[in-house]
Amino acid sequence: MDNFVLIDGNSIMNRAFYGIMGSKMLTTKDGKYTNAVYGFLAILFKLIEDANPKYMAVAFDLKAPTARHKLYEGYKANRKGMPDELAEQMPLIKEILRAMNIDIVEKEGYEADDVLGTLSRYGEKQGLHVTILSGDRDTFQLATDNVTIRIPRTKGGKTETDLFDRSKILETYGIEPKQLIEVKGLQGDSSDNIPGVPGIGEKTALSLIQKYGTIDNLYDKIEKNEDDLKGKQREKIKDNKELAELSKTLGTINLEVPIEDTLEQFKVEEWDKEKVLKLFKELNFNRYIERFHLTGEKDSQEETYKVEFKTVEKSIEEVMDIVKSQKKIIFYLQTEKEENPDNIIKEKITGMSLYNSDTQEAYYIKLNQEEMSQLKEIFEDENIKKTSINLTKIYILLKQVDITLEGIENDISIGAYILNPTNNKLDLKNLAMQYLELDIEEYIGEEDNQKQMTLFEENDTQNDKKDSEKYTLYAYVIEKINTMILQKLKETNSFDLYTNIDMPTVEVLSSMQWNGMYVDEQELSAFGEELTSQIEVLTKVIHEMAGEEFNINSTKQLGEILFEKMKLPVIKKTKNGYSTDVDVLEKLKREDPIIGKILEYRQLMKLNSTYVEGLKPFINPKTKRIHSFFHQTITATGRISSTEPNLQNIPTRFELGKRVRKVFKPEEGKVYIDADYSQIELRVLAHISEDKHMIEAFKNNEDIHKQAASKVFKTPIDEVTKEQRSNAKAVNFGIVYGISDFGLAEQLGISRKKAKQYIDEYLTEYAGIKEFMENIIEKTKEKGYVETLFHRRRYVPELNSKNYMVRQFGNRVAMNTPIQGTAADIMKIAMINVNKELKKRELKAKIILQVHDEMMIEAPESEKEEVKDIMKREMESAIQLKIPLVAEISEAKNWYDCK
């Protein structure tokens, strides 16, 4: 039976748009958004591959009102408009589909669902099997023995589809597909604003239709008192018959749309390759160009990437000899989960694969504890250069078996991050796709005799063969990607950044994680009890002020108390009711004292759940320390980040929050030494902008915020008030982060007009900064990227967007990246140099924490003065700027007491 494939265009474009947004949407160099188009095509090509259709059509909605809108004014009234970034891609996908000779069906007054429904019945009558691809489960009502609904879903980062025909619907819901219309009549649909019967949810609606069959039959039984419904439920259903019938009508897909297209027009035809190639080139869809060989350079059956290497059986001794002679090792570690609470990473190493680029051979060896100790010699030899992926994790895994990784040289995830710092898909499978256009999973899964891979002898186990094929491929892929990345780093002038800053940082961050920070659990628990007690008191106070008890954590109940009972002004409403988020409450603070208490309550709840109870699971039972993960491939600016837990996010703006730091202490006989760069971002701004006033202030060791206040408010510097200095400080740092007049007004609690006046006055006085801001945006727009002083690039396609808000974001990125990114690079250099000096002098002091502009070391009392000298010298000499860098040093017996 031939296949007729129908696609719900709007639904799949929506899915693709939100599925490939991540932290950065795909764009062309001129700022045109392409993520939805790219994702739609990926799903389309997979469907064509799976279904091999003879006929195909794509249905789209039109903007004109439909019969449903005319029947019920509220239909889809709660739907937000399509985002501009998606709307601008709709004409693009249609243009591509036409170039592929795929029929597009749109009908004014009807929705895409109606078109799909009508065409599915038409296809059935023509003796075809119909497949409908849609993300909308409303289409389930169309399922029959010959109509299958395919619903895409994401699993493990890949798009898969669930299939629903008549038998699957019966199995899943216990009713016929057509009866799902009856369910919707009772249940309604909040996404389409179909009312349904108030108080009837999906579970109840389904059970009612399973029992009564249809809405008509249900009401017939109610009228004859032959139903077994009781109480309020019966009353609700009985009183809302009209709503149920309306909802059923709204939810029923029309199967009689007047469509003129004939079966012949839906027939799958050859693409207009010239048009498709032109469009794909404009959209930078190079992967699709190569995949479908649109340039005509390759045979259509040829693989995009040819894997060429041999897997050769070698003993661990033979492998070690090869590595020692070559003075390099390109490897991948195989691990499995291990429930050892003492480990920092709950995994153990079970195997290792290596690739020998000289002979194009790969080796795989299973590893146990004894064999791991044999490899200690190789891993601890700093003259043997190591290349792999995620070396920070490898460092910890090896440390757990008493091996210290030396000779760190290449980490492909870090290289890929430098090339595109907004790329958040840095695992091996994604990098293989990005750089080699090789689908590792698909490749391993194929039974292809053409593969240049020789497995172990037949008497080895099947699992060994599978591991050999998989992990040797991983090692091979690491080498190939690494070669490409190193070349691209040189081409983009980023090679020195990679070799001198980011790769040496791997060792520093890895050792920081391994060292960890000791936590006084007893003191942490006592602090938690204190917070709990305060929360209980606050709860009683809030209840008394409200005049009744209610769940303060319930947005619904809190909204009812504030806006219905207490009649406070409604600031914002959502589809679920009143908004009580922090912005809303801040605006209501002057309306009633209860608001301040609620904000305080939330603060304490957050503190207790996140920074008391939340920290406890991360305390290692063996070391009694928290071993936070430090990352250098997450932020787009190059800043180091912390997770599991995030030690950089412990509150510092209010005293109670800051007290969490008291539980972090050095071990007996040691001390914390903290070094904090003084106003490093403003110093970098002064250097880059060459603003004479700012340079003068830093050279003369003046208070930069007082100077700014003096100039902005036209006040002699010795008469600047505390409030003026505070406002000027907000402007100073706001300029660094590209703050708007609206943002400054919100922050300072002043009018937008006054905020704009502050910013304008500031930029008049600091003309060098104004010129820098204007020039950097123009240069970034021209080049497509912005750089730090160390050539760390960030691409900024947002500057070319048609959307004003997106362009404003691009402006902020262009201004902020050279400043914040350079400051982050300077901190990394300082950490590298401090770490080297500690090792060189064989000191016991260890770096244990880095928070933005701050570095902390745990050192024996006997070493503290030497360590202070090292930190101050290395931090202040990390780079030579036009003005001096200043590191302020302090010591304490806990983190709280450090400066």
Side-chain angles (χ1 to χ4, degrees):
M1 190 181 286
D2 290 330
N3 266 337
F4 186 14
V5 165
L6 302 171
I7 299 172
D8 185 342
N10 288 73
S11 170
I12 301 305
M13 280 291 282
N14 259 289
R15 178 183 174 77
F17 177 76
Y18 290 106
I20 309 183
M21 264 177 47
S23 59
K24 173 182 178 291
M25 290 192 285
L26 297 176
T27 59
T28 58
K29 288 179 181 176
D30 62 357
K32 189 183 291 179
Y33 290 97
T34 61
N35 62 319
V37 175
Y38 189 90
F40 182 101
L41 291 175
I43 295 169
L44 171 67
F45 297 147
K46 182 74 169 67
L47 176 61
I48 292 172
E49 188 181 307
D50 291 348
N52 189 25
K54 186 172 182 180
Y55 305 96
M56 188 183 307
V58 183
F60 286 98
D61 292 324
L62 290 173
K63 286 185 179 178
T66 67
R68 293 181 182 86
H69 291 95
K70 293 171 185 174
L71 178 65
Y72 177 53
E73 195 176 330
Y75 181 64
K76 292 191 177 180
N78 57 349
R79 286 272 182 102
K80 289 183 180 178
M82 187 183 290
D84 292 343
E85 296 85 355
L86 173 57
E88 71 177 49
Q89 296 182 64
M90 298 304 282
L92 276 176
I93 191 61
K94 292 178 184 179
E95 190 177 357
I96 291 170
L97 290 171
R98 290 187 184 104
M100 291 177 172
N101 290 314
I102 295 173
D103 204 41
I104 294 172
V105 185
E106 302 167 306
K107 205 72 182 170
E108 191 168 318
Y110 300 94
E111 294 182 45
D113 281 357
D114 300 322
V115 172
L116 296 172
T118 301
L119 289 178
S120 71
R121 294 300 177 258
Y122 172 71
E124 272 192 295
K125 288 174 185 174
Q126 301 296 318
L128 303 172
H129 182 274
V130 180
T131 297
I132 298 174
L133 177 71
S134 175
D136 187 352
R137 291 174 180 259
D138 288 348
T139 53
F140 283 1
Q141 62 185 269
L142 301 174
T144 69
D145 292 333
N146 288 317
V147 176
T148 301
I149 316 299
R150 291 176 71 111
I151 300 287
R153 63 183 172 86
T154 302
K155 183 181 178 184
K158 297 191 77 173
T159 298
E160 297 182 359
T161 51
D162 292 325
L163 305 181
F164 291 85
D165 58 8
R166 176 177 172 271
S167 62
K168 181 69 172 178
I169 298 291
L170 279 167
E171 178 191 331
T172 307
Y173 298 100
I175 56 176
E176 291 285 345
K178 284 183 181 179
Q179 291 177 288
L180 289 170
I181 302 168
E182 313 288 338
V183 172
K184 176 159 281 197
L186 296 173
Q187 174 194 345
D189 184 344
S190 59
S191 66
D192 288 341
N193 206 34
I194 295 175
V197 175
I200 301 298
E202 181 183 13
K203 191 174 178 182
T204 303
L206 194 56
S207 66
L208 288 170
I209 298 306
Q210 285 169 347
K211 183 166 187 176
Y212 294 100
T214 66
I215 286 175
D216 287 345
N217 192 42
L218 170 63
Y219 281 102
D220 185 52
K221 295 288 186 186
I222 290 174
E223 285 172 16
K224 293 177 181 177
N225 287 317
E226 293 176 1
D227 64 296
D228 57 1
L229 299 173
K230 294 176 183 177
K232 286 188 177 179
Q233 186 186 73
R234 186 178 195 276
E235 192 179 318
K236 282 180 181 176
I237 295 171
K238 186 179 179 182
D239 292 347
N240 289 284
K241 183 179 180 183
E242 287 184 10
L243 272 182
E245 290 173 343
L246 170 67
S247 300
K248 176 183 172 180
T249 303
L250 292 172
T252 301
I253 292 175
N254 189 335
L255 304 179
E256 296 179 356
V257 178
I259 296 171
E260 295 79 23
D261 302 48
T262 63
L263 193 60
E264 192 60 31
Q265 287 169 284
F266 301 131
K267 196 168 185 178
V268 173
E269 298 176 17
E270 281 289 314
W271 298 355
D272 185 331
K273 288 192 175 180
E274 194 175 322
K275 280 186 184 176
V276 174
L277 175 61
K278 181 175 179 290
L279 288 166
F280 282 3
K281 278 184 175 178
E282 288 173 3
L283 301 173
N284 297 330
F285 288 175
N286 297 324
R287 182 182 167 200
Y288 292 149
I289 291 171
E290 291 193 23
R291 177 174 172 180
F292 297 105
H293 316 295
L294 296 175
T295 55
E297 294 172 3
K298 297 181 182 179
D299 180 77
S300 61
Q301 299 303 311
E302 190 179 340
E303 286 185 36
T304 303
Y305 185 84
K306 191 171 184 181
V307 174
E308 293 184 288
F309 72 95
K310 291 187 296 182
T311 297
V312 179
E313 186 176 5
K314 295 277 186 187
S315 68
I316 192 168
E317 290 78 16
E318 289 173 311
V319 168
M320 287 179 68
D321 288 341
I322 291 168
V323 171
K324 287 177 187 176
S325 66
Q326 293 184 339
K327 295 292 182 188
K328 66 178 182 180
I329 176 172
I330 302 154
F331 70 102
Y332 184 91
L333 290 184
Q334 176 189 3
T335 64
E336 65 179 40
K337 295 290 181 186
E338 182 183 41
E339 293 307 317
N340 183 344
D342 293 345
N343 281 351
I344 295 171
I345 295 177
K346 305 299 186 288
E347 292 177 39
K348 66 177 179 180
I349 300 165
T350 56
M352 180 172 73
S353 57
L354 302 87
Y355 179 66
N356 184 340
S357 56
D358 295 349
T359 62
Q360 290 189 306
E361 293 176 344
Y363 322 116
Y364 171 77
I365 46 179
K366 296 289 281 184
L367 294 171
N368 55 32
Q369 185 68 40
E370 186 181 333
E371 288 160 333
M372 280 304 304
S373 61
Q374 282 183 264
L375 291 170
K376 185 179 175 78
E377 180 186 354
I378 286 174
F379 282 121
E380 292 194 342
D381 188 338
E382 64 180 18
N383 295 313
I384 295 174
K385 300 305 177 186
K386 317 299 188 303
T387 296
S388 191
I389 184 170
N390 201 351
L391 283 168
T392 295
K393 179 179 177 180
I394 289 171
Y395 183 99
I396 302 297
L397 286 170
L398 291 172
K399 266 287 194 181
Q400 288 177 177
V401 291
D402 195 32
I403 297 173
T404 300
L405 183 65
E406 300 284 358
I408 291 171
E409 185 169 57
N410 294 304
D411 186 324
I412 61 171
S413 61
I414 290 173
Y417 162 76
I418 290 175
L419 291 171
N420 180 7
T422 55
N423 178 11
N424 60 356
K425 295 182 178 178
L426 298 172
D427 59 280
L428 188 58
K429 289 171 187 174
N430 274 299
L431 291 179
M433 189 64 81
Q434 292 166 32
Y435 284 89
L436 308 178
E437 296 187 352
L438 173 67
D439 188 326
I440 289 179
E441 287 182 352
E442 185 180 302
Y443 186 89
I444 292 171
E446 287 177 354
E447 295 290 338
D448 188 348
N449 294 328
Q450 299 302 312
K451 290 182 187 175
Q452 304 293 310
M453 300 178 72
T454 305
L455 301 179
F456 287 171
E457 298 301 318
E458 287 301 317
N459 59 0
D460 283 307
T461 66
Q462 192 61 38
N463 278 343
D464 282 344
K465 288 184 176 184
K466 187 178 177 183
D467 287 348
S468 167
E469 179 178 356
K470 179 178 177 180
Y471 293 111
T472 51
L473 177 64
Y474 286 1
Y476 166 83
V477 164
I478 286 170
E479 195 277 337
K480 294 303 171 192
I481 294 172
N482 185 59
T483 300
M484 292 180 72
I485 283 174
L486 294 181
Q487 182 59 38
K488 287 178 184 289
L489 287 168
K490 289 170 185 172
E491 290 169 2
T492 55
N493 200 22
S494 306
F495 188 71
D496 286 346
L497 169 74
Y498 174 72
T499 54
N500 298 329
I501 299 179
D502 278 26
M503 282 314 302
T505 300
V506 171
E507 182 189 337
V508 180
L509 299 188
S510 304
S511 59
M512 277 167 56
Q513 183 180 345
W514 179 257
N515 296 332
M517 293 181 74
Y518 173 76
V519 177
D520 187 329
E521 288 185 74
Q522 194 172 343
E523 190 168 330
L524 183 64
S525 294
F527 183 49
E529 288 169 10
E530 182 184 333
L531 288 174
T532 301
S533 176
Q534 289 188 39
I535 289 167
E536 287 172 359
V537 171
L538 262 177
T539 301
K540 288 177 182 175
V541 169
I542 292 168
H543 287 166
E544 284 172 10
M545 295 173 85
E548 65 178 270
E549 291 189 6
F550 67 99
N551 183 356
I552 305 170
N553 299 316
S554 165
T555 300
K556 185 174 184 297
Q557 291 184 36
L558 180 60
E560 289 169 354
I561 291 290
L562 297 180
F563 305 113
E564 292 180 10
K565 181 177 180 180
M566 299 182 70
K567 305 296 183 186
L568 296 182
V570 176
I571 305 293
K572 185 168 70 175
K573 287 192 82 172
T574 69
K575 63 179 182 180
N576 297 319
Y578 303 103
S579 171
T580 60
D581 63 26
V582 67
D583 290 338
V584 167
L585 295 184
E586 285 289 346
K587 288 172 182 173
L588 291 171
K589 272 174 87 170
R590 295 177 184 175
E591 299 290 335
D592 196 283
I594 194 173
I595 302 297
K597 296 298 180 184
I598 291 167
L599 285 168
E600 187 182 348
Y601 170 88
R602 283 189 179 175
Q603 205 171 56
L604 296 184
M605 287 289 289
K606 169 81 172 173
L607 198 57
N608 191 43
S609 62
T610 305
Y611 301 109
V612 177
E613 296 305 320
L615 286 179
K616 288 178 180 178
F618 293 107
I619 301 172
N620 186 284
K622 182 179 179 182
T623 65
K624 303 299 180 187
R625 290 172 173 252
I626 283 179
H627 300 269
S628 178
F629 287 68
F630 293 94
H631 309 274
Q632 57 175 320
T633 60
I634 291 180
T635 67
T637 57
R639 267 189 169 187
I640 292 162
S641 60
S642 161
T643 60
E644 299 182 58
N646 184 356
L647 294 181
Q648 297 181 337
N649 209 30
I650 291 176
T652 57
R653 292 186 180 180
F654 65 105
E655 179 59 26
L656 207 56
K658 195 176 175 186
R659 270 184 53 194
V660 175
R661 294 186 170 202
K662 279 193 175 182
V663 305
F664 292 88
K665 301 175 178 180
E667 65 182 56
E668 196 67 34
K670 292 185 177 180
V671 65
Y672 281 163
I673 301 171
D674 185 86
D676 193 356
Y677 273 123
S678 171
Q679 300 171 333
I680 186 171
E681 289 181 350
L682 290 177
R683 291 173 191 270
V684 169
L685 174 60
H687 173 85
I688 293 175
S689 68
E690 299 182 334
D691 183 89
K692 61 181 182 181
H693 293 309
M694 195 169 264
I695 288 175
E696 179 188 5
F698 281 125
K699 279 187 172 178
N700 297 334
N701 201 26
E702 290 178 23
D703 182 328
I704 188 67
H705 304 310
K706 262 194 170 184
Q707 187 205 62
S710 173
K711 292 186 179 300
V712 170
F713 301 117
K714 310 299 182 194
T715 304
I717 198 162
D718 55 354
E719 294 178 21
V720 168
T721 66
K722 191 175 180 181
E723 184 185 2
Q724 286 175 325
R725 184 186 181 278
S726 178
N727 288 349
K729 182 178 179 179
V731 179
N732 256 331
F733 286 114
I735 293 295
V736 171
Y737 289 95
I739 200 167
S740 64
D741 49 8
F742 176 79
L744 185 63
E746 287 278 297
Q747 186 176 328
L748 296 180
I750 58 177
S751 70
R752 195 167 172 179
K753 184 179 178 182
K754 180 68 73 175
K756 187 177 186 304
Q757 184 184 327
Y758 286 178
I759 293 172
D760 290 345
E761 197 65 50
Y762 181 95
L763 293 176
T764 299
E765 291 293 334
Y766 292 90
I769 293 173
K770 182 181 182 182
E771 187 179 352
F772 156 73
M773 289 167 67
E774 291 169 350
N775 289 347
I776 198 70
I777 290 171
E778 285 308 309
K779 284 180 186 175
T780 304
K781 197 169 183 179
E782 182 186 321
K783 294 191 294 184
Y785 63 85
V786 66
E787 286 187 318
T788 69
L789 290 181
F790 299 93
H791 304 292
R792 184 184 301 283
R793 284 189 185 184
R794 181 172 179 182
Y795 293 89
V796 196
E798 292 87 356
L799 285 175
N800 295 303
S801 173
K802 293 176 184 176
N803 184 302
Y804 173 77
M805 295 303 291
V806 174
R807 284 199 311 278
Q808 288 300 102
F809 171 75
N811 288 344
R812 291 195 295 274
V813 167
M815 288 186 283
N816 173 244
T817 297
I819 302 162
Q820 192 179 107
T822 296
D825 289 340
I826 291 169
M827 175 53 86
K828 285 181 183 175
I829 293 167
M831 291 170 71
I832 292 163
N833 293 343
V834 167
N835 193 55
K836 278 182 184 173
E837 196 63 23
L838 294 177
K839 285 178 71 175
K840 179 182 168 186
R841 300 192 191 191
E842 297 183 347
L843 297 175
K844 292 179 180 176
K846 305 286 184 188
I847 302 175
I848 56 167
L849 183 67
Q850 193 277 326
V851 180
H852 307 317
D853 308 330
E854 175 188 3
M855 183 195 326
M856 191 153 73
I857 286 178
E858 184 176 8
E861 290 275 1
S862 59
E863 295 178 359
K864 70 179 184 181
E865 295 307 323
E866 189 176 0
V867 169
K868 284 180 186 177
D869 289 342
I870 292 170
M871 292 179 84
K872 189 164 183 66
R873 184 178 64 254
E874 298 300 342
M875 288 179 74
E876 293 182 348
S877 64
I879 184 178
Q880 203 67 41
L881 298 177
K882 295 181 178 71
I883 34 89
L885 286 175
V886 175
E888 297 170 344
I889 313 292
S890 63
E891 67 170 278
K893 281 295 185 180
N894 62 59
W895 186 10
Y896 174 90
D897 289 329
C898 289
K899 180 185 174 295

